[in-house]
Amino acid sequence: MGTLKTEPARARLDLLAPPVAEAIAQWPADAPVDVNDVLVAPIDADLADTAAFCAAYEVGLDVSANCVVVAGKREGVVRYAACIILATTRADVNGVARRALDVRKASFAPIDDAVELTGMEYGGITPIGLPAQWPILVDARVIATPHVIVGSGVRHSKIALPGPALGALPGAQVVEGLARPV
């Protein structure tokens, strides 16, 4: 986890966006990953973007996960999903993600929509605390990673947790080939 100074997220809800803090506070006791294994670390908000963050905090791109919000329309209704991929990969938005959403064409959701609908800051969106009706598509590489770093819903912190925990989130689907190496 590089030089991050982590502590249990439930003890530092102030470092999380409100929907993320609520999800951590309501973490099920019978979840496959204990809430105490979900850690948070403060960071410089100006270094929240993946490349800058990894360089500044000595975190490998291979353990840094990105959450991208994708959207597509079906019968006039916009459908959203979150795609969780490692920073060493790119999401297959118009292939695998599009088919998972069951839409004709998918693309990255407009920033304003993603921010408004998630209640999170752009550059900090995380799969924890997303709208319950959204599928969370997790690339199989992510859950194969012992520990990953993801956003916290805000730009001034990051969450560290076991990779398999992301595949166990409510609404999560582990998807082979969701992302392709860059």
Side-chain angles (χ1 to χ4, degrees), residues 29 54 161:
C54 288
L161 74 170

Side-chain angles (χ1 to χ4, degrees), residues 59-86:
V59 171
L61 289 170
D62 60 333
V63 297
S64 182
N66 292 321
C67 178
V68 295
V69 178
V70 297
K73 275 189 181 175
R74 177 79 174 203
E75 298 172 359
V77 176
V78 179
R79 298 177 180 191
Y80 294 94
C83 296
I84 316 306
I85 59 170
L86 293 176

Side-chain angles (χ1 to χ4, degrees), residues 92 96-97 99 137-141 143-144 173-180:
D92 182 3
V96 177
R99 286 190 296 277
L137 310 176
V138 184
D139 186 67
R141 290 175 189 88
I143 65 156
Q173 304 166 30
V174 177
V175 181
E176 283 290 336
L178 176 62
R180 298 179 183 157

Side-chain angles (χ1 to χ4, degrees), residues 102-142:
D102 191 25
V103 295
R104 193 179 323 188
K105 182 177 182 225
S107 58
F108 294 107
I111 294 170
D112 292 343
D113 292 351
V115 168
E116 180 182 340
L117 295 169
T118 63
M120 301 179 200
E121 294 177 3
Y122 180 72
I125 294 175
T126 187
I128 300 169
L130 287 174
Q133 68 274 21
W134 287 15
I136 299 171
L137 310 176
V138 184
D139 186 67
R141 290 175 189 88
V142 174

